[in-house]
Amino acid sequence: MGFVLMGLGALICFLDLTGLLKFLKRRNLQRHGVEGEAFSERQEWIREGHRVYYQIRLPEDPSRRRVPRFIEVGVEPRGPVGSVVPVVYDPRKPSRAKTGTLADIDLSEERSLVMFFWVPGLTCIAAGAVLALVFW
């Protein structure tokens, strides 16, 4: 019974793995993010909406050889190709970025989904581990 409960908990956690990764990315942007500018290089129409390729304008750093770029999928473009938009990026890894400002980052929806899936999932894993140890 303990192993079944652990498997069920792992399955529950696995169902929201992408939600957890999105939540962690946005939380890191909220904590360590710096506001800056980016301009769109290319826009494509895809089945999920749009795919927009952005290039971040960083303060001049001669040691940086690669220009940081990021892609947003499913969002409406914020103007034609070449338009400058506000962006929040992580200075440790500028390719982790999101268009908008720091005030636009809202974690409440992602946090509630993560809590809805991960709290029962981890509880099932812990209870299953205890049952497996006790009754093995």
Side-chain angles (χ1 to χ4, degrees):
M1 181 66 181
F3 293 110
V4 172
L5 201 56
M6 287 171 46
L8 179 67
L11 179 66
I12 292 171
C13 291
F14 182 74
L15 288 175
D16 192 49
L17 191 58
T18 57
L20 176 69
L21 295 177
K22 183 191 293 186
F23 170 74
L24 291 175
K25 177 184 174 184
R26 287 194 179 172
R27 189 183 70 180
N28 282 337
L29 276 178
Q30 190 179 39
R31 290 182 177 176
H32 306 289
V34 175
E35 292 186 358
E37 293 181 335
F39 64 92
S40 59
E41 294 180 313
R42 186 172 66 186
Q43 298 175 1
E44 299 174 348
W45 176 258
I46 58 173
R47 196 172 22 160
E48 294 86 20
H50 291 341
R51 180 184 300 140
V52 184
Y53 296 82
Y54 290 100
Q55 182 175 342
I56 300 175
R57 290 184 177 175
L58 292 176
E60 294 303 318
D61 185 8
S63 65
R64 184 175 301 278
R65 283 181 262 167
R66 288 185 50 214
V67 177
R69 293 178 166 85
F70 71 99
I71 302 169
E72 280 196 339
V73 177
V75 296
E76 190 69 29
R78 295 180 174 231
V81 173
S83 60
V84 177
V85 296
V87 69
V88 177
Y89 66 92
D90 190 347
R92 299 171 297 172
K93 187 172 182 183
S95 61
R96 292 184 190 150
K98 180 182 181 324
T99 56
T101 61
L102 280 171
D104 295 339
I105 298 176
D106 183 25
L107 298 175
S108 61
E109 183 179 327
E110 284 92 3
R111 179 180 289 130
S112 62
L113 282 174
V114 167
M115 297 300 263
F116 180 75
F117 281 99
W118 282 81
V119 169
L122 292 176
T123 304
C124 285
I125 291 173
V130 168
L131 286 174
L133 288 174
V134 169
F135 294 111
W136 183 259

